[in-house]
Coordinates of all heavy atoms in Angstrom, one line a residue:
M1 N -3.6 5.4 13.4 CA -2.7 4.4 13.7 C -3.2 3.0 13.2 O -2.5 2.1 13.1 CB -2.4 4.3 15.2 CG -1.6 5.5 15.7 SD 0.0 5.8 14.8 CE 1.0 4.5 15.5
L2 N -4.5 2.9 13.0 CA -5.1 1.7 12.6 C -4.5 1.2 11.2 O -4.1 0.0 11.1 CB -6.7 1.8 12.4 CG -7.4 0.6 11.8 CD1 -7.3 -0.6 12.8 CD2 -8.8 1.0 11.6
F3 N -4.5 2.1 10.2 CA -4.0 1.7 8.9 C -2.5 1.4 9.0 O -2.0 0.4 8.4 CB -4.2 2.8 7.9 CG -5.7 2.9 7.5 CD1 -6.4 4.0 7.9 CD2 -6.3 1.9 6.8 CE1 -7.8 4.1 7.6 CE2 -7.6 1.9 6.5 CZ -8.4 3.0 6.9
Y4 N -1.7 2.2 9.8 CA -0.3 1.9 9.9 C -0.1 0.5 10.5 O 0.7 -0.3 9.9 CB 0.3 3.0 10.8 CG 1.7 2.7 11.2 CD1 2.7 2.6 10.3 CD2 2.1 2.5 12.6 CE1 4.0 2.4 10.7 CE2 3.3 2.3 13.0 CZ 4.3 2.2 12.0 OH 5.6 1.9 12.4
S5 N -0.8 0.2 11.5 CA -0.6 -1.2 12.1 C -1.0 -2.2 11.1 O -0.4 -3.3 11.1 CB -1.5 -1.3 13.4 OG -1.1 -0.3 14.3
Y6 N -2.1 -2.0 10.4 CA -2.5 -3.0 9.5 C -1.5 -3.2 8.3 O -1.2 -4.3 7.9 CB -3.9 -2.7 8.9 CG -4.4 -3.7 8.0 CD1 -4.8 -4.9 8.5 CD2 -4.5 -3.5 6.6 CE1 -5.3 -5.9 7.6 CE2 -5.0 -4.5 5.8 CZ -5.4 -5.7 6.3 OH -5.8 -6.7 5.5
F7 N -1.0 -2.1 7.8 CA -0.1 -2.2 6.7 C 1.2 -2.9 7.1 O 1.9 -3.5 6.3 CB 0.2 -0.8 6.0 CG -0.8 -0.4 5.1 CD1 -1.5 0.8 5.3 CD2 -1.1 -1.1 4.0 CE1 -2.5 1.2 4.4 CE2 -2.1 -0.7 3.1 CZ -2.8 0.4 3.3
K8 N 1.6 -2.7 8.4 CA 2.8 -3.4 8.8 C 2.7 -4.9 8.8 O 3.7 -5.6 8.7 CB 3.2 -2.9 10.2 CG 3.8 -1.5 10.3 CD 4.3 -1.1 11.6 CE 5.5 -1.9 12.0 NZ 6.8 -1.4 11.6
T9 N 1.4 -5.4 8.9 CA 1.2 -6.8 8.8 C 1.3 -7.4 7.4 O 1.4 -8.6 7.2 CB -0.1 -7.3 9.4 OG1 -1.2 -6.7 8.5 CG2 -0.3 -6.8 10.8
L10 N 1.3 -6.5 6.4 CA 1.4 -6.8 5.0 C 2.8 -6.8 4.4 O 3.0 -7.0 3.2 CB 0.5 -5.9 4.2 CG -1.0 -6.0 4.5 CD1 -1.8 -5.0 3.7 CD2 -1.5 -7.4 4.2
V11 N 3.8 -6.5 5.2 CA 5.2 -6.5 4.7 C 5.5 -7.8 4.1 O 5.1 -8.9 4.6 CB 6.1 -6.1 5.9 CG1 7.6 -6.3 5.5 CG2 5.9 -4.7 6.3
D12 N 6.2 -7.7 3.0 CA 6.6 -8.9 2.2 C 5.5 -9.5 1.4 O 5.6 -10.6 0.9 CB 7.3 -10.0 3.0 CG 8.7 -9.5 3.6 OD1 9.3 -8.7 2.9 OD2 9.0 -9.9 4.7
K13 N 4.4 -8.8 1.3 CA 3.3 -9.3 0.4 C 3.2 -8.4 -0.8 O 3.6 -7.3 -0.8 CB 2.0 -9.3 1.2 CG 2.0 -10.3 2.4 CD 0.7 -10.7 2.8 CE 0.8 -11.7 3.9 NZ -0.4 -12.2 4.5
E14 N 2.6 -9.0 -1.8 CA 2.4 -8.3 -3.1 C 1.2 -7.3 -3.0 O 0.1 -7.7 -2.6 CB 2.1 -9.3 -4.2 CG 2.2 -8.7 -5.6 CD 3.6 -8.5 -6.1 OE1 4.5 -9.0 -5.5 OE2 3.7 -7.7 -7.1
V15 N 1.4 -6.0 -3.3 CA 0.3 -5.0 -3.3 C 0.4 -4.2 -4.6 O 1.4 -4.2 -5.3 CB 0.4 -4.1 -2.1 CG1 0.2 -4.8 -0.8 CG2 1.7 -3.3 -2.1
V16 N -0.7 -3.6 -4.9 CA -0.7 -2.6 -6.0 C -1.1 -1.3 -5.4 O -2.1 -1.1 -4.7 CB -1.8 -3.0 -7.1 CG1 -1.8 -2.0 -8.2 CG2 -1.4 -4.4 -7.6
V17 N -0.3 -0.3 -5.7 CA -0.5 1.1 -5.2 C -0.9 2.0 -6.4 O -0.1 2.1 -7.3 CB 0.8 1.7 -4.5 CG1 0.5 3.1 -4.0 CG2 1.2 0.8 -3.4
E18 N -2.1 2.6 -6.3 CA -2.5 3.5 -7.3 C -2.3 4.9 -6.8 O -2.8 5.3 -5.7 CB -4.0 3.3 -7.6 CG -4.5 4.2 -8.8 CD -5.9 4.0 -9.1 OE1 -6.4 2.8 -8.9 OE2 -6.6 4.9 -9.5
L19 N -1.6 5.7 -7.6 CA -1.3 7.1 -7.2 C -2.4 8.0 -7.7 O -3.2 7.7 -8.6 CB 0.1 7.5 -7.7 CG 1.2 6.5 -7.4 CD1 2.5 7.0 -8.0 CD2 1.3 6.3 -5.9
K20 N -2.4 9.2 -7.2 CA -3.3 10.2 -7.6 C -3.2 10.7 -9.1 O -4.1 11.2 -9.6 CB -3.3 11.5 -6.7 CG -3.7 11.2 -5.3 CD -3.6 12.4 -4.4 CE -4.1 12.1 -3.0 NZ -4.0 13.2 -2.1
N21 N -2.0 10.4 -9.7 CA -1.8 10.8 -11.1 C -2.2 9.6 -12.0 O -1.8 9.5 -13.2 CB -0.4 11.2 -11.3 CG 0.6 10.1 -11.1 OD1 0.3 9.0 -10.7 ND2 1.9 10.4 -11.4
D22 N -2.9 8.6 -11.5 CA -3.4 7.4 -12.2 C -2.3 6.4 -12.5 O -2.6 5.4 -13.2 CB -4.1 7.8 -13.5 CG -5.4 8.5 -13.2 OD1 -6.0 8.3 -12.2 OD2 -5.7 9.4 -14.1
L23 N -1.1 6.5 -12.0 CA -0.1 5.5 -12.2 C -0.3 4.4 -11.1 O -0.5 4.7 -9.9 CB 1.3 6.2 -12.0 CG 2.5 5.2 -11.9 CD1 2.7 4.5 -13.3 CD2 3.7 6.0 -11.6
A24 N -0.3 3.2 -11.6 CA -0.5 2.0 -10.7 C 0.8 1.2 -10.7 O 1.3 0.8 -11.8 CB -1.7 1.2 -11.1
I25 N 1.4 1.0 -9.5 CA 2.6 0.3 -9.4 C 2.4 -1.0 -8.5 O 1.9 -0.8 -7.4 CB 3.7 1.2 -8.7 CG1 3.9 2.4 -9.5 CG2 5.0 0.4 -8.6 CD1 4.8 3.5 -8.8
A26 N 2.8 -2.1 -9.0 CA 2.7 -3.4 -8.3 C 4.0 -3.7 -7.8 O 5.0 -3.5 -8.5 CB 2.1 -4.5 -9.2
G27 N 4.1 -4.3 -6.6 CA 5.4 -4.7 -6.0 C 5.2 -5.3 -4.7 O 4.1 -5.4 -4.1
T28 N 6.3 -5.7 -4.1 CA 6.4 -6.3 -2.8 C 6.5 -5.2 -1.8 O 7.5 -4.4 -1.8 CB 7.6 -7.3 -2.7 OG1 7.4 -8.3 -3.7 CG2 7.5 -8.0 -1.4
L29 N 5.7 -5.2 -0.8 CA 5.7 -4.2 0.3 C 6.9 -4.4 1.1 O 7.0 -5.5 1.8 CB 4.4 -4.2 1.1 CG 4.3 -3.1 2.2 CD1 4.3 -1.7 1.6 CD2 3.1 -3.4 3.0
H30 N 7.9 -3.5 1.1 CA 9.1 -3.6 1.9 C 8.9 -3.0 3.3 O 9.3 -3.5 4.3 CB 10.3 -3.0 1.2 CG 11.6 -3.2 2.0 ND1 12.0 -2.2 2.7 CD2 12.4 -4.2 2.1 CE1 13.2 -2.5 3.3 NE2 13.4 -3.8 2.9
S31 N 8.3 -1.8 3.3 CA 8.1 -1.1 4.6 C 7.1 0.0 4.4 O 6.7 0.4 3.3 CB 9.4 -0.5 5.1 OG 9.9 0.5 4.2
V32 N 6.6 0.4 5.6 CA 5.6 1.5 5.7 C 5.9 2.3 7.0 O 6.3 1.7 7.9 CB 4.1 1.0 5.6 CG1 3.8 0.1 6.8 CG2 3.1 2.1 5.5
D33 N 5.7 3.6 7.0 CA 5.9 4.3 8.2 C 4.6 5.0 8.7 O 3.6 4.8 8.1 CB 7.0 5.4 8.0 CG 6.7 6.5 7.0 OD1 5.5 6.6 6.6 OD2 7.6 7.2 6.7
Q34 N 4.7 5.8 9.7 CA 3.5 6.3 10.4 C 2.8 7.3 9.5 O 1.6 7.7 9.7 CB 3.8 7.0 11.7 CG 4.7 8.2 11.7 CD 6.2 7.9 11.7 OE1 6.6 6.8 11.4 NE2 6.9 8.9 12.1
Y35 N 3.5 7.9 8.4 CA 2.8 8.8 7.5 C 2.3 8.0 6.3 O 1.8 8.7 5.3 CB 3.9 9.8 7.0 CG 4.4 10.6 8.2 CD1 5.8 10.4 8.6 CD2 3.7 11.6 8.8 CE1 6.3 11.1 9.6 CE2 4.2 12.3 9.9 CZ 5.5 12.0 10.3 OH 6.1 12.8 11.3
L36 N 2.3 6.7 6.4 CA 1.9 5.8 5.3 C 2.7 6.0 4.0 O 2.2 5.7 2.9 CB 0.4 6.0 5.0 CG -0.5 5.6 6.2 CD1 -2.0 5.7 5.9 CD2 -0.2 4.2 6.7
N37 N 3.9 6.4 4.2 CA 4.9 6.4 3.1 C 5.2 4.9 2.8 O 5.3 4.1 3.8 CB 6.2 7.1 3.4 CG 5.9 8.6 3.6 OD1 5.1 9.2 2.9 ND2 6.6 9.1 4.6
I38 N 5.3 4.5 1.6 CA 5.4 3.1 1.2 C 6.7 2.9 0.5 O 7.0 3.6 -0.5 CB 4.2 2.7 0.4 CG1 2.9 2.8 1.2 CG2 4.4 1.3 -0.1 CD1 1.7 2.6 0.4
K39 N 7.4 1.8 0.8 CA 8.6 1.4 0.0 C 8.2 0.1 -0.6 O 7.9 -0.9 0.1 CB 9.8 1.3 0.9 CG 11.0 0.9 0.1 CD 12.3 0.9 0.9 CE 13.5 0.6 0.0 NZ 14.7 0.4 0.7
L40 N 8.4 0.0 -2.0 CA 8.1 -1.2 -2.7 C 9.4 -1.7 -3.3 O 10.2 -0.9 -3.8 CB 7.1 -0.9 -3.8 CG 5.7 -0.6 -3.4 CD1 4.8 -0.3 -4.7 CD2 5.0 -1.6 -2.6
E41 N 9.5 -3.0 -3.4 CA 10.6 -3.7 -4.1 C 10.0 -4.5 -5.2 O 8.9 -4.9 -5.2 CB 11.4 -4.5 -3.1 CG 12.1 -3.7 -2.1 CD 13.0 -4.6 -1.2 OE1 12.7 -5.8 -1.0 OE2 14.0 -4.0 -0.6
N42 N 10.9 -4.9 -6.2 CA 10.5 -5.7 -7.3 C 9.2 -5.1 -8.0 O 8.3 -5.8 -8.2 CB 10.2 -7.1 -6.9 CG 11.4 -7.7 -6.2 OD1 12.6 -7.5 -6.7 ND2 11.2 -8.5 -5.2
T43 N 9.3 -3.8 -8.3 CA 8.1 -3.1 -8.8 C 8.0 -3.3 -10.3 O 8.9 -3.6 -11.1 CB 8.2 -1.6 -8.6 OG1 9.4 -1.1 -9.2 CG2 8.2 -1.3 -7.1
R44 N 6.7 -3.2 -10.7 CA 6.4 -3.1 -12.2 C 5.2 -2.3 -12.3 O 4.3 -2.2 -11.4 CB 6.1 -4.5 -12.7 CG 5.0 -5.2 -12.1 CD 4.9 -6.7 -12.5 NE 3.7 -7.3 -11.9 CZ 3.6 -7.6 -10.7 NH1 4.6 -7.4 -9.8 NH2 2.5 -8.2 -10.2
V45 N 5.1 -1.6 -13.4 CA 4.0 -0.7 -13.7 C 2.8 -1.5 -14.3 O 3.0 -2.4 -15.2 CB 4.4 0.4 -14.7 CG1 3.2 1.3 -15.1 CG2 5.5 1.2 -14.1
V46 N 1.6 -1.3 -13.8 CA 0.5 -2.1 -14.3 C 0.2 -1.8 -15.7 O -0.1 -2.7 -16.5 CB -0.8 -1.8 -13.4 CG1 -2.0 -2.4 -13.9 CG2 -0.5 -2.2 -12.0
N47 N 0.2 -0.5 -16.2 CA -0.1 -0.1 -17.5 C 1.2 0.3 -18.2 O 1.5 1.5 -18.3 CB -1.1 1.0 -17.6 CG -1.6 1.3 -19.0 OD1 -1.1 0.8 -19.9 ND2 -2.6 2.2 -19.1
Q48 N 2.0 -0.7 -18.6 CA 3.3 -0.4 -19.2 C 3.3 0.4 -20.5 O 4.2 1.2 -20.7 CB 4.1 -1.7 -19.3 CG 4.4 -2.3 -18.0 CD 5.2 -3.6 -18.2 OE1 5.4 -4.1 -19.3 NE2 5.6 -4.3 -17.1
S49 N 2.3 0.2 -21.3 CA 2.2 1.0 -22.5 C 2.0 2.5 -22.3 O 2.5 3.3 -23.1 CB 1.1 0.4 -23.4 OG -0.1 0.6 -22.8
R50 N 1.4 2.8 -21.2 CA 1.1 4.3 -20.9 C 2.3 4.9 -20.2 O 2.5 6.1 -20.3 CB -0.1 4.4 -20.0 CG -0.6 5.8 -19.8 CD -1.9 5.9 -19.2 NE -2.2 7.3 -18.9 CZ -3.2 7.6 -18.0 NH1 -4.0 6.7 -17.5 NH2 -3.4 8.9 -17.8
Y51 N 3.1 4.1 -19.5 CA 4.2 4.6 -18.7 C 5.5 3.8 -19.0 O 6.1 3.2 -18.1 CB 3.9 4.5 -17.2 CG 2.7 5.3 -16.8 CD1 1.5 4.7 -16.5 CD2 2.8 6.7 -16.6 CE1 0.4 5.4 -16.2 CE2 1.7 7.4 -16.2 CZ 0.5 6.7 -16.0 OH -0.6 7.4 -15.6
P52 N 6.0 3.8 -20.3 CA 7.1 3.0 -20.6 C 8.4 3.4 -19.9 O 9.3 2.6 -19.7 CB 7.3 3.2 -22.1 CG 6.6 4.5 -22.4 CD 5.5 4.6 -21.4
H53 N 8.5 4.7 -19.5 CA 9.7 5.2 -18.8 C 9.8 4.6 -17.4 O 10.9 4.7 -16.8 CB 9.7 6.7 -18.8 CG 8.5 7.3 -18.1 ND1 7.3 7.4 -18.7 CD2 8.3 7.8 -16.9 CE1 6.4 7.9 -17.9 NE2 7.0 8.2 -16.8
M54 N 8.8 4.0 -16.9 CA 8.8 3.5 -15.6 C 9.2 2.0 -15.5 O 9.4 1.4 -14.5 CB 7.5 3.6 -14.9 CG 7.0 5.0 -14.6 SD 8.0 5.8 -13.3 CE 7.6 4.8 -11.9
M55 N 9.4 1.4 -16.7 CA 9.7 0.0 -16.8 C 11.1 -0.4 -16.1 O 11.3 -1.5 -15.6 CB 9.7 -0.5 -18.2 CG 8.3 -0.6 -18.7 SD 8.1 -1.1 -20.4 CE 8.9 -2.7 -20.3
S56 N 12.0 0.6 -16.1 CA 13.3 0.3 -15.5 C 13.4 0.4 -14.0 O 14.4 0.1 -13.4 CB 14.4 1.2 -16.2 OG 14.1 2.5 -15.9
V57 N 12.3 0.9 -13.4 CA 12.3 1.1 -12.0 C 12.0 -0.2 -11.3 O 11.0 -0.8 -11.5 CB 11.3 2.2 -11.6 CG1 11.2 2.4 -10.1 CG2 11.6 3.5 -12.2
K58 N 12.9 -0.6 -10.4 CA 12.8 -1.8 -9.7 C 12.4 -1.7 -8.2 O 11.8 -2.5 -7.6 CB 14.1 -2.7 -9.7 CG 14.4 -3.1 -11.2 CD 13.3 -3.9 -11.8 CE 13.5 -4.2 -13.2 NZ 12.3 -4.5 -13.9
N59 N 12.8 -0.5 -7.6 CA 12.4 -0.2 -6.2 C 12.0 1.2 -6.1 O 12.5 2.1 -6.9 CB 13.7 -0.4 -5.3 CG 14.2 -1.8 -5.3 OD1 13.5 -2.7 -5.2 ND2 15.5 -1.9 -5.4
C60 N 11.0 1.5 -5.3 CA 10.6 2.9 -5.2 C 10.0 3.2 -3.8 O 9.6 2.3 -3.1 CB 9.5 3.2 -6.3 SG 7.9 2.4 -6.1
F61 N 10.1 4.5 -3.5 CA 9.6 5.0 -2.3 C 8.4 5.9 -2.7 O 8.5 6.8 -3.5 CB 10.6 5.9 -1.6 CG 10.1 6.5 -0.3 CD1 10.1 5.8 0.9 CD2 9.7 7.8 -0.3 CE1 9.7 6.4 2.0 CE2 9.2 8.4 0.8 CZ 9.2 7.7 2.0
I62 N 7.2 5.7 -2.1 CA 6.0 6.5 -2.5 C 5.6 7.3 -1.3 O 5.3 6.7 -0.2 CB 4.9 5.5 -2.9 CG1 5.4 4.7 -4.1 CG2 3.7 6.3 -3.3 CD1 4.5 3.6 -4.5
R63 N 5.5 8.6 -1.4 CA 5.0 9.4 -0.4 C 3.5 9.2 -0.1 O 2.7 9.1 -1.0 CB 5.2 10.9 -0.8 CG 4.9 11.9 0.3 CD 5.1 13.3 -0.2 NE 4.4 14.2 0.7 CZ 5.1 15.2 1.4 NH1 6.4 15.3 1.3 NH2 4.4 16.0 2.1
G64 N 3.2 9.1 1.1 CA 1.8 8.7 1.5 C 0.7 9.7 1.0 O -0.4 9.2 0.7
S65 N 1.1 10.9 0.8 CA 0.1 11.9 0.4 C -0.3 11.8 -1.1 O -1.3 12.4 -1.5 CB 0.6 13.3 0.7 OG 1.7 13.6 -0.1
V66 N 0.5 11.0 -1.8 CA 0.1 10.9 -3.3 C -0.6 9.6 -3.6 O -0.9 9.3 -4.7 CB 1.4 11.0 -4.2 CG1 2.0 12.4 -4.0 CG2 2.3 9.9 -3.9
V67 N -0.9 8.8 -2.5 CA -1.5 7.5 -2.7 C -3.0 7.7 -2.8 O -3.6 8.3 -1.9 CB -1.1 6.5 -1.6 CG1 -1.9 5.2 -1.7 CG2 0.3 6.2 -1.6
R68 N -3.6 7.1 -3.8 CA -5.1 7.1 -3.9 C -5.7 5.8 -3.3 O -6.6 5.8 -2.5 CB -5.5 7.2 -5.4 CG -7.1 7.2 -5.5 CD -7.5 7.3 -7.0 NE -7.1 8.6 -7.5 CZ -6.8 8.8 -8.8 NH1 -6.8 7.8 -9.6 NH2 -6.5 10.0 -9.2
Y69 N -5.2 4.7 -3.8 CA -5.6 3.4 -3.3 C -4.5 2.4 -3.1 O -3.4 2.5 -3.8 CB -6.6 2.7 -4.3 CG -7.8 3.4 -4.6 CD1 -8.0 3.9 -5.9 CD2 -8.8 3.5 -3.7 CE1 -9.2 4.6 -6.2 CE2 -10.0 4.2 -4.0 CZ -10.2 4.7 -5.3 OH -11.3 5.4 -5.6
V70 N -4.6 1.5 -2.2 CA -3.7 0.3 -2.1 C -4.6 -0.9 -2.2 O -5.5 -1.2 -1.4 CB -3.0 0.3 -0.7 CG1 -2.1 -0.9 -0.6 CG2 -2.2 1.6 -0.6
Q71 N -4.3 -1.7 -3.3 CA -5.0 -2.9 -3.5 C -4.3 -4.0 -2.7 O -3.1 -4.3 -3.0 CB -5.1 -3.2 -5.0 CG -5.8 -2.2 -5.8 CD -5.8 -2.4 -7.2 OE1 -5.4 -3.5 -7.7 NE2 -6.1 -1.4 -8.0
L72 N -5.0 -4.7 -1.9 CA -4.4 -5.7 -1.0 C -4.5 -7.1 -1.6 O -5.5 -7.4 -2.3 CB -5.0 -5.6 0.4 CG -5.0 -4.3 1.0 CD1 -5.9 -4.3 2.3 CD2 -3.6 -3.8 1.3
P73 N -3.7 -8.0 -1.2 CA -3.8 -9.4 -1.6 C -5.1 -10.0 -0.9 O -5.4 -9.7 0.2 CB -2.6 -10.1 -1.2 CG -2.0 -9.2 -0.1 CD -2.5 -7.8 -0.4
A74 N -5.8 -10.9 -1.6 CA -7.0 -11.5 -1.1 C -6.7 -12.2 0.2 O -7.5 -12.2 1.1 CB -7.7 -12.3 -2.1
D75 N -5.6 -12.9 0.2 CA -5.3 -13.7 1.4 C -4.7 -12.8 2.6 O -4.6 -13.3 3.7 CB -4.3 -14.8 1.1 CG -2.9 -14.3 0.6 OD1 -2.9 -13.1 0.2 OD2 -2.0 -15.0 0.7
G76 N -4.5 -11.5 2.3 CA -4.0 -10.7 3.3 C -5.0 -9.9 4.1 O -4.7 -9.2 5.0
V77 N -6.3 -10.1 3.7 CA -7.4 -9.4 4.4 C -8.1 -10.3 5.3 O -8.7 -11.3 4.9 CB -8.3 -8.8 3.3 CG1 -9.5 -8.1 4.0 CG2 -7.6 -7.9 2.4
D78 N -8.1 -10.0 6.6 CA -8.8 -10.7 7.6 C -9.9 -9.7 8.2 O -9.6 -8.9 9.0 CB -7.9 -11.2 8.8 CG -8.6 -12.1 9.7 OD1 -9.8 -12.2 9.7 OD2 -7.9 -12.7 10.5
I79 N -11.1 -9.9 7.7 CA -12.2 -9.0 8.0 C -12.5 -8.9 9.5 O -12.7 -7.9 10.1 CB -13.5 -9.5 7.3 CG1 -13.2 -9.4 5.8 CG2 -14.6 -8.6 7.7 CD1 -12.9 -8.1 5.2
D80 N -12.4 -10.1 10.2 CA -12.6 -10.1 11.7 C -11.7 -9.2 12.4 O -12.0 -8.4 13.3 CB -12.6 -11.5 12.2 CG -13.7 -12.4 11.6 OD1 -14.8 -11.8 11.3 OD2 -13.5 -13.6 11.5
I81 N -10.4 -9.3 12.1 CA -9.4 -8.4 12.8 C -9.6 -7.0 12.5 O -9.5 -6.1 13.4 CB -8.0 -8.8 12.3 CG1 -7.6 -10.2 12.9 CG2 -6.9 -7.8 12.7 CD1 -6.3 -10.8 12.4
L82 N -10.0 -6.6 11.2 CA -10.3 -5.2 10.9 C -11.5 -4.7 11.7 O -11.5 -3.6 12.2 CB -10.5 -5.1 9.4 CG -9.2 -5.1 8.5 CD1 -9.6 -5.0 7.1 CD2 -8.3 -3.9 8.9
H83 N -12.5 -5.5 11.7 CA -13.7 -5.1 12.5 C -13.4 -4.9 13.9 O -13.8 -3.9 14.5 CB -14.8 -6.2 12.3 CG -15.5 -6.2 11.0 ND1 -16.6 -7.0 10.7 CD2 -15.3 -5.4 9.9 CE1 -17.0 -6.8 9.5 NE2 -16.2 -5.8 9.0
D84 N -12.7 -5.8 14.6 CA -12.3 -5.6 16.0 C -11.5 -4.4 16.2 O -11.7 -3.6 17.1 CB -11.6 -6.8 16.5 CG -12.5 -8.1 16.6 OD1 -13.7 -7.9 16.6 OD2 -11.9 -9.2 16.6
A85 N -10.5 -4.1 15.3 CA -9.6 -3.0 15.4 C -10.4 -1.7 15.3 O -10.2 -0.7 16.0 CB -8.5 -3.1 14.4
T86 N -11.3 -1.6 14.3 CA -12.1 -0.4 14.1 C -13.0 -0.1 15.3 O -13.2 1.0 15.7 CB -12.9 -0.4 12.8 OG1 -13.7 -1.6 12.7 CG2 -11.9 -0.3 11.6
R87 N -13.6 -1.2 15.9 CA -14.4 -1.0 17.0 C -13.6 -0.5 18.2 O -14.1 0.4 18.9 CB -15.1 -2.3 17.4 CG -16.2 -2.7 16.5 CD -17.0 -4.0 17.0 NE -17.7 -4.5 15.9 CZ -17.5 -5.7 15.3 NH1 -16.5 -6.4 15.7 NH2 -18.2 -6.1 14.3
R88 N -12.4 -1.1 18.4 CA -11.6 -0.6 19.5 C -11.2 0.9 19.3 O -11.2 1.6 20.3 CB -10.4 -1.5 19.6 CG -10.6 -2.7 20.6 CD -9.3 -3.4 20.8 NE -9.3 -4.6 19.9 CZ -8.4 -4.8 18.9 NH1 -7.4 -4.0 18.7 NH2 -8.5 -5.9 18.2
E89 N -10.8 1.2 18.1 CA -10.4 2.6 17.9 C -11.6 3.6 18.0 O -11.4 4.7 18.5 CB -9.8 2.7 16.5 CG -9.2 4.1 16.2 CD -8.2 4.1 15.1 OE1 -7.3 3.3 15.1 OE2 -8.5 4.9 14.1
A90 N -12.8 3.1 17.6 CA -14.0 4.0 17.8 C -14.3 4.3 19.3 O -14.7 5.4 19.6 CB -15.2 3.4 17.1
R91 N -14.0 3.2 20.1 CA -14.3 3.4 21.5 C -13.1 4.1 22.2 O -13.3 4.6 23.3 CB -14.4 2.0 22.2 CG -15.8 1.4 22.0 CD -15.9 0.1 22.7 NE -15.3 -0.9 21.8 CZ -15.0 -2.1 22.2 NH1 -15.1 -2.5 23.5 NH2 -14.5 -3.0 21.3
G92 N -12.0 4.2 21.6 CA -10.9 4.9 22.2 C -10.0 4.1 23.1 O -9.3 4.6 23.9
T93 N -10.2 2.8 23.0 CA -9.4 1.9 23.9 C -8.3 1.2 23.2 O -8.2 1.1 22.0 CB -10.3 0.8 24.6 OG1 -10.9 0.0 23.6 CG2 -11.3 1.5 25.5

């Protein structure tokens, strides 16, 4: 639940989602659910020359099981909050 709670704080921020098939999609995070399925709006493909067929996609739903990485905005990462949350989860409180 730690990641789910954290990703909910990033709604309406710009993220880059890299999939297991090496496709990287940048867009505005619209929503995320408990399975870490991600909905992006205003999407664009990072490597457009390799994936030209994806240029017309503007909104997408990404199943959580195909996500390799999520690159977060630099201003969206608060290290202190993450440290506190991971300590609480490790203690089980």
